Amino acid sequence: MLSSPAVIPIVKPPAAKYAQLGFLKIAESACRQHGDKVWIGENEQTVLLLAGARHIRFFIEHEASFHKELENGQSVRRLLLGQSLITAREGDEWHLARKLTAPLVNPKSTLLKQGTQRSAQWLVDTLQDPEKDSLQDICLQWALMCVAQGFVGPTLDPLQLDSLIKHFRRIYQQLIVAAPTEDYATLSQHPALVAFREELETMIGPLMTGEGSANLGMLQRFCQALDIEAHPQERERAISMLLGNLVASVDNTGIALLWCLAHLSQHPDYQHRVREESRYGTRDLATAIVKESLRITPVTAFFERGTLHPLEIDGVVIPAGTHVLFSPWLVHRNAAYWPEPLSFRPERFMEGKVPREHFVPFSVGKRNCVGMALALDQLTTAIETLCNVCHFTLAPSTPPAALTPLYGLNVMPRGAIHFIIESVDRVTQHECIA
């Protein structure tokens, strides 16, 4: 007879511990003490953490038994992003969003390829300018420049888009605080959200038409596909899908670049090897460096699903309606799958095929990141371009705690990281602070 879920260890950290350590540290500690299958929380807030690669494999093989539609914080994302790709409901709505988005995030598309190359050069120029000293902001601006023209066309100033995304982050945080005590209808009329929608319409609305050119941006192609002239009710859907893709492309990719630079700054020998490789027209090592950074510090630490019906996992029956957390962070740092998991060794990705369930920085399954190929290309191009021109190391003034992860909307460095950046010819040198 199968045992009940009660046999799975339960960890009930007090609120003070959540506030002190954050969920990521609590999850790491729980797995160290109890293994890779553990309940965390209590009452209706309990989630089942499944932190093994076999659990990722189970999810891949039984994806139809899980769903993404959850309560509380998920409703906040839906309010902000509407019917966007990353929060669209299962069924026709999600399939439409995916179908419309997938061809528009192809790294080979002309506009996006131009954006990737142009932003890489901008990154090099900016990092050699000692007046600009916040590397985190620089990385986020780089990520925005990669996709700005491909998503909205050349009309909108990147500074306006940057302002819009920063406003989005502020509203998102406010609604997350309000979500546990307010219902959906009340949240939808939150004054901060109303103001944000007005700003969004003012900025994006005038860009929603375009000719049938091959160089139309994502927004205009959404509008054409949804035929908003004949179906004006689809206008909000087009804007929401654009915003969802824009925010995900900037925040996750920008922070991923910041982690890449943090790792590379501590292993400058790889920078020289990337330069040497580039002379032969290849960039296999640059790609491996990006993947190794995403392995050690994936910006998405967890992805959450709900069980649609009772499931047997590791000989235990998990009830329907269980909130389950799968963890790229914990799988990527598990010595059972990755020897010396905290060592930065890009060669791992040049020594043969990596099992699918061992490396999932962009989630996995049908709801994985639709822009993962684009993000990998952007990050690889940035690393290759930067290594060809600059040499950078971690400055002695960087406190060790700054490199520890802070888990919020994504996983980012906890504090300011100081780099010494110099031209390859060693003519100029300055310190840059993230």
Side-chain angles (χ1 to χ4, degrees):
M1 176 180 291
L2 295 172
S3 53
S4 72
V7 303
I8 300 175
I10 302 175
V11 174
K12 300 179 180 180
K17 195 168 185 179
Y18 272 114
Q20 177 187 6
L21 299 178
F23 185 81
L24 183 56
K25 285 295 182 185
I26 288 173
E28 288 179 322
S29 176
C31 287
R32 280 195 301 269
Q33 295 180 48
H34 304 289
D36 59 12
K37 183 169 71 271
V38 58
W39 294 99
I40 299 181
E42 55 185 333
N43 302 324
E44 68 278 0
Q45 300 299 321
T46 303
V47 297
L48 177 61
L49 176 62
L50 298 177
R54 70 187 182 284
H55 300 132
I56 301 291
R57 170 57 60 184
F58 181 90
F59 173 75
I60 293 171
E61 295 173 349
H62 301 85
E63 187 174 3
S65 297
F66 294 88
H67 68 120
K68 192 176 180 180
E69 289 301 318
L70 303 169
E71 299 175 353
N72 300 328
Q74 295 290 327
S75 66
V76 174
R77 283 196 283 272
R78 187 168 178 77
L79 277 171
L80 286 169
L81 301 181
Q83 303 172 83
S84 72
L85 171 68
I86 62 174
T87 55
R89 292 192 185 280
E90 304 288 355
D92 291 343
E93 180 181 316
W94 177 82
H95 286 293
L96 175 62
R98 187 82 173 194
K99 179 181 178 181
L100 293 181
T101 300
L104 302 182
V105 289
N106 184 340
K108 295 181 180 180
S109 70
T110 301
L111 284 178
L112 289 177
K113 198 169 190 64
Q114 290 173 350
T116 295
Q117 295 168 344
R118 183 170 51 247
S119 60
Q121 187 57 53
W122 175 88
L123 179 68
V124 168
D125 295 340
T126 301
L127 289 180
Q128 294 185 100
D129 180 357
E131 295 181 1
K132 298 178 179 179
D133 60 359
S134 174
L135 194 54
Q136 179 176 319
D137 286 345
I138 289 171
C139 288
L140 292 172
Q141 290 172 29
W142 160 84
L144 177 59
M145 289 187 66
C146 281
V147 298
Q149 186 165 340
F151 282 13
V152 300
T155 305
L156 199 61
D157 190 311
L159 291 178
Q160 291 177 287
L161 276 178
D162 185 50
S163 174
L164 180 70
I165 292 174
K166 287 177 179 176
H167 190 181
F168 169 86
R169 295 190 194 104
R170 293 194 301 271
I171 301 307
Y172 189 92
Q173 297 281 11
Q174 288 183 52
L175 292 187
I176 283 178
V177 172
T181 59
E182 303 287 356
D183 59 24
Y184 185 94
T186 302
L187 281 174
S188 67
Q189 298 304 316
H190 192 288
L193 180 59
V194 172
F196 177 73
R197 283 174 174 156
E198 291 175 353
E199 178 186 2
L200 187 63
E201 175 62 33
T202 299
M203 190 176 297
I204 301 296
L207 306 176
M208 299 185 71
T209 58
E211 302 297 329
S213 166
N215 289 326
L216 288 181
M218 177 183 285
L219 176 63
Q220 291 78 26
R221 291 190 178 276
F222 282 162
C223 292
Q224 286 184 353
L226 296 171
D227 194 4
I228 64 168
E229 291 187 8
H231 307 284
Q233 71 275 12
E234 298 285 16
R235 182 184 182 89
E236 182 179 352
R237 186 199 295 261
I239 293 179
S240 295
M241 287 196 299
L242 171 75
L243 182 61
N245 283 285
L246 185 61
V247 172
S249 297
V250 172
D251 280 21
N252 290 343
T253 312
I255 297 303
L257 177 63
L258 180 57
W259 280 119
C260 283
L261 298 181
H263 291 299
L264 264 181
S265 69
Q266 299 172 79
H267 301 87
D269 55 310
Y270 283 112
Q271 299 173 39
H272 173 73
R273 290 172 59 184
V274 168
R275 283 195 294 276
E276 290 298 310
E277 179 187 63
S278 182
R279 293 176 183 175
Y280 296 96
T282 61
R283 57 181 201 170
D284 293 343
L285 179 60
T287 300
I289 286 169
V290 170
K291 290 182 177 179
E292 177 69 344
S293 178
L294 289 170
R295 182 193 67 81
I296 297 179
T297 46
V299 294
T300 301
F302 306 96
F303 61 93
E304 186 174 11
R305 295 292 187 269
T307 55
L308 289 168
H309 51 78
L311 292 173
E312 180 188 346
I313 300 176
D314 293 348
V316 178
V317 173
I318 307 302
T322 298
H323 286 195
V324 179
L325 283 183
F326 298 93
S327 180
W329 182 277
L330 295 171
V331 170
H332 290 184
R333 289 168 163 246
N334 191 323
Y337 319 125
W338 302 94
E340 299 180 7
L342 299 185
S343 296
F344 186 75
R345 192 166 67 82
E347 292 85 357
R348 302 175 198 270
F349 291 93
M350 303 172 71
E351 296 171 346
K353 187 175 181 180
V354 174
R356 186 181 181 189
E357 63 269 26
H358 291 183
F359 183 63
V360 287
F362 299 99
S363 187
V364 71
K366 68 178 184 180
R367 299 295 292 257
N368 67 352
C369 174
V370 69
M372 59 183 175
L374 175 62
L376 279 173
D377 183 66
Q378 292 166 344
L379 291 163
T380 300
T381 300
I383 292 302
E384 180 188 24
T385 305
L386 189 60
C387 287
N388 278 331
V389 179
C390 298
H391 179 82
F392 47 99
T393 55
L394 193 67
S397 55
T398 300
L403 292 169
T404 59
L406 177 64
Y407 178 53
L409 298 182
N410 49 30
V411 180
M412 60 192 303
R414 187 172 295 272
I417 305 173
H418 302 239
F419 298 89
I420 301 298
I421 299 177
E422 57 188 354
S423 297
V424 169
D425 59 17
R426 300 184 183 275
V427 172
T428 62
Q429 175 179 307
H430 68 277
E431 186 166 313
C432 188
I433 303 173

mmCIF file of all heavy atoms in Angstrom, residues 7 37 49 52-53 93 95 150 154 161 180 183 240 244 272 281 297 313 323 345 364 389 404 414 418:
data_model
loop_
_atom_site.group_PDB
_atom_site.id
_atom_site.type_symbol
_atom_site.label_atom_id
_atom_site.label_comp_id
_atom_site.label_asym_id
_atom_site.label_seq_id
_atom_site.Cartn_x
_atom_site.Cartn_y
_atom_site.Cartn_z
ATOM 1 N N VAL A 7 4.412 11.151 5.362
ATOM 2 C CA VAL A 7 5.739 10.586 5.569
ATOM 3 C C VAL A 7 6.826 11.496 5.004
ATOM 4 O O VAL A 7 7.998 11.303 5.289
ATOM 5 C CB VAL A 7 5.853 9.192 4.931
ATOM 6 C CG1 VAL A 7 4.801 8.255 5.484
ATOM 7 C CG2 VAL A 7 5.753 9.270 3.415
ATOM 8 N N LYS A 37 13.017 15.995 -1.093
ATOM 9 C CA LYS A 37 11.551 16.007 -1.143
ATOM 10 C C LYS A 37 11.044 16.421 0.239
ATOM 11 O O LYS A 37 11.200 15.687 1.207
ATOM 12 C CB LYS A 37 11.029 14.621 -1.531
ATOM 13 C CG LYS A 37 9.527 14.547 -1.670
ATOM 14 C CD LYS A 37 9.076 13.239 -2.313
ATOM 15 C CE LYS A 37 9.247 12.037 -1.405
ATOM 16 N NZ LYS A 37 10.537 11.364 -1.493
ATOM 17 N N LEU A 49 8.332 20.901 -1.973
ATOM 18 C CA LEU A 49 9.562 21.139 -2.719
ATOM 19 C C LEU A 49 10.101 19.819 -3.236
ATOM 20 O O LEU A 49 10.398 18.901 -2.462
ATOM 21 C CB LEU A 49 10.598 21.815 -1.807
ATOM 22 C CG LEU A 49 11.984 22.046 -2.409
ATOM 23 C CD1 LEU A 49 11.905 22.977 -3.617
ATOM 24 C CD2 LEU A 49 12.944 22.607 -1.363
ATOM 25 N N GLY A 52 14.997 17.177 -6.835
ATOM 26 C CA GLY A 52 15.878 16.232 -7.499
ATOM 27 C C GLY A 52 15.709 16.257 -9.005
ATOM 28 O O GLY A 52 14.654 16.636 -9.528
ATOM 29 N N ALA A 53 16.746 15.842 -9.720
ATOM 30 C CA ALA A 53 16.655 15.768 -11.180
ATOM 31 C C ALA A 53 15.593 14.762 -11.610
ATOM 32 O O ALA A 53 14.927 14.953 -12.635
ATOM 33 C CB ALA A 53 18.010 15.384 -11.768
ATOM 34 N N GLU A 93 -6.094 30.305 -24.753
ATOM 35 C CA GLU A 93 -5.415 31.582 -24.487
ATOM 36 C C GLU A 93 -3.897 31.406 -24.505
ATOM 37 O O GLU A 93 -3.170 32.176 -25.139
ATOM 38 C CB GLU A 93 -5.862 32.123 -23.130
ATOM 39 C CG GLU A 93 -5.214 33.450 -22.767
ATOM 40 C CD GLU A 93 -5.659 33.942 -21.403
ATOM 41 O OE1 GLU A 93 -6.869 33.861 -21.102
ATOM 42 O OE2 GLU A 93 -4.791 34.395 -20.645
ATOM 43 N N HIS A 95 -2.129 28.893 -25.855
ATOM 44 C CA HIS A 95 -1.667 28.463 -27.171
ATOM 45 C C HIS A 95 -1.569 29.645 -28.138
ATOM 46 O O HIS A 95 -0.634 29.728 -28.941
ATOM 47 C CB HIS A 95 -2.596 27.389 -27.739
ATOM 48 C CG HIS A 95 -2.434 26.053 -27.085
ATOM 49 N ND1 HIS A 95 -1.278 25.302 -27.212
ATOM 50 C CD2 HIS A 95 -3.263 25.332 -26.287
ATOM 51 C CE1 HIS A 95 -1.398 24.184 -26.531
ATOM 52 N NE2 HIS A 95 -2.592 24.168 -25.959
ATOM 53 N N GLY A 150 13.219 45.540 -31.885
ATOM 54 C CA GLY A 150 12.531 44.354 -32.371
ATOM 55 C C GLY A 150 11.155 44.170 -31.766
ATOM 56 O O GLY A 150 10.280 43.547 -32.373
ATOM 57 N N PRO A 154 11.428 51.479 -33.926
ATOM 58 C CA PRO A 154 12.427 52.509 -33.634
ATOM 59 C C PRO A 154 11.868 53.795 -33.035
ATOM 60 O O PRO A 154 12.632 54.679 -32.661
ATOM 61 C CB PRO A 154 13.031 52.786 -35.019
ATOM 62 C CG PRO A 154 11.878 52.563 -35.954
ATOM 63 C CD PRO A 154 11.079 51.431 -35.357
ATOM 64 N N LEU A 161 11.078 53.402 -22.458
ATOM 65 C CA LEU A 161 10.811 52.000 -22.135
ATOM 66 C C LEU A 161 11.413 51.624 -20.790
ATOM 67 O O LEU A 161 10.802 50.910 -19.995
ATOM 68 C CB LEU A 161 11.395 51.100 -23.218
ATOM 69 C CG LEU A 161 10.551 50.873 -24.469
ATOM 70 C CD1 LEU A 161 11.320 49.999 -25.453
ATOM 71 C CD2 LEU A 161 9.215 50.230 -24.129
ATOM 72 N N PRO A 180 -2.537 39.201 -0.604
ATOM 73 C CA PRO A 180 -3.112 38.253 0.351
ATOM 74 C C PRO A 180 -4.382 38.740 1.039
ATOM 75 O O PRO A 180 -5.154 37.939 1.554
ATOM 76 C CB PRO A 180 -1.976 38.057 1.373
ATOM 77 C CG PRO A 180 -0.732 38.430 0.636
ATOM 78 C CD PRO A 180 -1.152 39.537 -0.284
ATOM 79 N N ASP A 183 -9.296 40.861 -2.815
ATOM 80 C CA ASP A 183 -9.750 39.969 -3.867
ATOM 81 C C ASP A 183 -9.365 40.542 -5.235
ATOM 82 O O ASP A 183 -8.897 41.670 -5.347
ATOM 83 C CB ASP A 183 -11.257 39.710 -3.774
ATOM 84 C CG ASP A 183 -12.081 41.006 -3.885
ATOM 85 O OD1 ASP A 183 -11.584 41.997 -4.476
ATOM 86 O OD2 ASP A 183 -13.210 41.024 -3.384
ATOM 87 N N SER A 240 -0.608 43.661 -23.486
ATOM 88 C CA SER A 240 -0.223 42.802 -22.371
ATOM 89 C C SER A 240 0.819 41.773 -22.791
ATOM 90 O O SER A 240 1.783 41.506 -22.069
ATOM 91 C CB SER A 240 -1.454 42.091 -21.801
ATOM 92 O OG SER A 240 -2.347 43.016 -21.225
ATOM 93 N N GLY A 244 4.580 41.544 -21.220
ATOM 94 C CA GLY A 244 5.076 40.318 -20.612
ATOM 95 C C GLY A 244 6.400 39.885 -21.195
ATOM 96 O O GLY A 244 7.338 39.536 -20.472
ATOM 97 N N HIS A 272 40.755 35.413 -21.761
ATOM 98 C CA HIS A 272 41.803 35.278 -22.783
ATOM 99 C C HIS A 272 41.459 34.163 -23.758
ATOM 100 O O HIS A 272 41.646 34.300 -24.977
ATOM 101 C CB HIS A 272 43.148 34.998 -22.106
ATOM 102 C CG HIS A 272 44.261 34.675 -23.061
ATOM 103 N ND1 HIS A 272 44.854 35.641 -23.869
ATOM 104 C CD2 HIS A 272 44.872 33.495 -23.366
ATOM 105 C CE1 HIS A 272 45.774 35.062 -24.619
ATOM 106 N NE2 HIS A 272 45.805 33.770 -24.341
ATOM 107 N N GLY A 281 36.842 32.448 -35.431
ATOM 108 C CA GLY A 281 35.456 32.530 -35.858
ATOM 109 C C GLY A 281 34.510 31.591 -35.130
ATOM 110 O O GLY A 281 33.419 31.300 -35.635
ATOM 111 N N THR A 297 24.173 29.977 -11.109
ATOM 112 C CA THR A 297 23.280 31.043 -10.628
ATOM 113 C C THR A 297 22.121 31.249 -11.607
ATOM 114 O O THR A 297 22.045 32.283 -12.279
ATOM 115 C CB THR A 297 24.056 32.363 -10.443
ATOM 116 O OG1 THR A 297 24.891 32.588 -11.597
ATOM 117 C CG2 THR A 297 24.919 32.324 -9.199
ATOM 118 N N ILE A 313 4.621 9.947 -6.422
ATOM 119 C CA ILE A 313 5.982 10.429 -6.645
ATOM 120 C C ILE A 313 6.884 9.800 -5.595
ATOM 121 O O ILE A 313 6.657 9.961 -4.392
ATOM 122 C CB ILE A 313 6.059 11.969 -6.558
ATOM 123 C CG1 ILE A 313 5.145 12.611 -7.617
ATOM 124 C CG2 ILE A 313 7.491 12.451 -6.735
ATOM 125 C CD1 ILE A 313 5.084 14.121 -7.550
ATOM 126 N N HIS A 323 0.419 22.437 -4.221
ATOM 127 C CA HIS A 323 1.349 23.370 -4.841
ATOM 128 C C HIS A 323 2.745 22.756 -4.774
ATOM 129 O O HIS A 323 3.257 22.466 -3.691
ATOM 130 C CB HIS A 323 1.338 24.709 -4.111
ATOM 131 C CG HIS A 323 0.121 25.520 -4.380
ATOM 132 N ND1 HIS A 323 0.032 26.866 -4.088
ATOM 133 C CD2 HIS A 323 -1.069 25.185 -4.924
ATOM 134 C CE1 HIS A 323 -1.166 27.316 -4.432
ATOM 135 N NE2 HIS A 323 -1.847 26.310 -4.945
ATOM 136 N N ARG A 345 33.309 25.860 -14.041
ATOM 137 C CA ARG A 345 34.038 25.060 -15.022
ATOM 138 C C ARG A 345 33.202 24.928 -16.295
ATOM 139 O O ARG A 345 32.474 23.961 -16.489
ATOM 140 C CB ARG A 345 34.376 23.689 -14.440
ATOM 141 C CG ARG A 345 35.376 22.908 -15.268
ATOM 142 C CD ARG A 345 35.933 21.712 -14.506
ATOM 143 N NE ARG A 345 34.927 20.696 -14.243
ATOM 144 C CZ ARG A 345 34.534 19.765 -15.115
ATOM 145 N NH1 ARG A 345 35.044 19.747 -16.346
ATOM 146 N NH2 ARG A 345 33.641 18.868 -14.790
ATOM 147 N N VAL A 364 11.137 24.156 -17.912
ATOM 148 C CA VAL A 364 11.112 22.982 -18.773
ATOM 149 C C VAL A 364 9.669 22.680 -19.139
ATOM 150 O O VAL A 364 8.738 23.115 -18.466
ATOM 151 C CB VAL A 364 11.774 21.775 -18.053
ATOM 152 C CG1 VAL A 364 10.904 21.269 -16.935
ATOM 153 C CG2 VAL A 364 12.120 20.662 -19.028
ATOM 154 N N VAL A 389 37.596 43.003 -26.152
ATOM 155 C CA VAL A 389 38.024 44.396 -25.986
ATOM 156 C C VAL A 389 38.495 44.703 -24.567
ATOM 157 O O VAL A 389 39.413 45.501 -24.365
ATOM 158 C CB VAL A 389 36.865 45.351 -26.369
ATOM 159 C CG1 VAL A 389 37.276 46.804 -26.182
ATOM 160 C CG2 VAL A 389 36.429 45.098 -27.803
ATOM 161 N N THR A 404 26.529 36.692 -2.731
ATOM 162 C CA THR A 404 25.528 35.710 -2.323
ATOM 163 C C THR A 404 24.195 36.065 -2.961
ATOM 164 O O THR A 404 23.904 37.231 -3.215
ATOM 165 C CB THR A 404 25.384 35.666 -0.794
ATOM 166 O OG1 THR A 404 25.001 36.954 -0.303
ATOM 167 C CG2 THR A 404 26.697 35.258 -0.141
ATOM 168 N N ARG A 414 23.440 40.002 -3.956
ATOM 169 C CA ARG A 414 22.870 40.654 -2.782
ATOM 170 C C ARG A 414 23.378 42.082 -2.586
ATOM 171 O O ARG A 414 22.695 42.916 -2.005
ATOM 172 C CB ARG A 414 23.183 39.819 -1.544
ATOM 173 C CG ARG A 414 22.520 40.281 -0.264
ATOM 174 C CD ARG A 414 22.755 39.277 0.841
ATOM 175 N NE ARG A 414 22.119 38.003 0.543
ATOM 176 C CZ ARG A 414 20.859 37.700 0.864
ATOM 177 N NH1 ARG A 414 20.105 38.587 1.498
ATOM 178 N NH2 ARG A 414 20.350 36.528 0.555
ATOM 179 N N HIS A 418 32.240 45.153 -7.159
ATOM 180 C CA HIS A 418 33.211 46.085 -7.730
ATOM 181 C C HIS A 418 34.115 45.339 -8.708
ATOM 182 O O HIS A 418 34.673 44.296 -8.376
ATOM 183 C CB HIS A 418 34.053 46.723 -6.623
ATOM 184 C CG HIS A 418 33.242 47.460 -5.609
ATOM 185 N ND1 HIS A 418 33.422 48.814 -5.347
ATOM 186 C CD2 HIS A 418 32.249 47.049 -4.792
ATOM 187 C CE1 HIS A 418 32.562 49.195 -4.403
ATOM 188 N NE2 HIS A 418 31.853 48.141 -4.053
#
